[in-house]
Amino acid sequence: MRTHSQSERLRKATCGSCLIAAPALLLVGGLVHPEETTGTARQYEIIAGNADRWEFSHWIITASMLLMAGAVLGLAHQLHEQRPAEGILGGAVALVGVVALFAVAAAETVVIPELGRSSEAGAAALYERIFEFGSTRWTVLLVAVLLLPVG
């Protein structure tokens, strides 16, 4: 039986902790998150009425993605020991998804609640323009998020 070094035990414990904490925080963020709809005008009304809740849920989701990066890297390292190509490829693809979801959650943490809190007349129109599907860079990020489960 092979004995593990102290650094290897720490790496595996950290990976295991991230594997438990990241999905748990993501679940909490999803449960706290206000309702989402496909209509941008209605969605803006929801955000304006729940700006603090929106911001809080996205902070939790952003934190979960930081932990998810640790989980993905730890799993990729574990898999790399047995199957190097699959470990590197799967880890890289999943990490792109993690970074994309982190970027979306971080942007929605900072920008969207401020639009909801704004008393400016054009804030709703700006929100609608930002989130028109297919016309912004948001679509690229949202598609990249799908790489997380693929990886």
Side-chain angles (χ1 to χ4, degrees):
M1 186 168 166
R2 186 177 149 215
T3 60
H4 297 292
S5 70
Q6 191 173 14
S7 64
E8 191 172 0
R9 282 194 308 267
L10 178 62
R11 178 181 51 81
K12 288 183 179 188
T14 302
C15 176
S17 299
C18 287
L19 280 169
I20 294 168
L25 275 179
L26 188 59
L27 177 65
V28 170
L31 291 174
V32 172
H33 198 283
E35 173 189 3
E36 287 201 64
T37 65
T38 54
T40 53
R42 173 72 182 122
Q43 186 63 49
Y44 180 77
E45 291 173 10
I46 292 169
I47 293 167
N50 300 293
D52 291 335
R53 192 170 145 200
W54 183 278
E55 185 176 11
F56 179 69
S57 69
H58 282 88
W59 275 116
I60 293 173
I61 294 167
T62 302
S64 77
M65 287 304 102
L66 288 174
L67 293 171
M68 186 65 78
V72 166
L73 290 172
L75 285 176
H77 188 280
Q78 294 272 345
L79 186 57
H80 182 265
E81 293 172 358
Q82 301 296 317
R83 306 184 88 162
E86 289 90 344
I88 291 171
L89 182 62
V93 169
L95 205 54
V96 168
V98 167
V99 170
L101 186 52
F102 177 85
V104 169
E108 288 192 14
T109 299
V110 176
V111 175
I112 304 307
E114 292 308 315
L115 280 174
R117 291 181 185 113
S118 176
S119 60
E120 295 291 323
L126 179 59
Y127 176 83
E128 289 182 26
R129 186 161 180 215
I130 289 172
F131 287 99
E132 287 176 343
F133 187 76
S135 65
T136 66
R137 292 178 183 93
W138 283 102
T139 306
V140 174
L141 279 176
L142 294 174
V143 170
V145 167
L146 296 175
L147 293 175
L148 175 56
V150 170

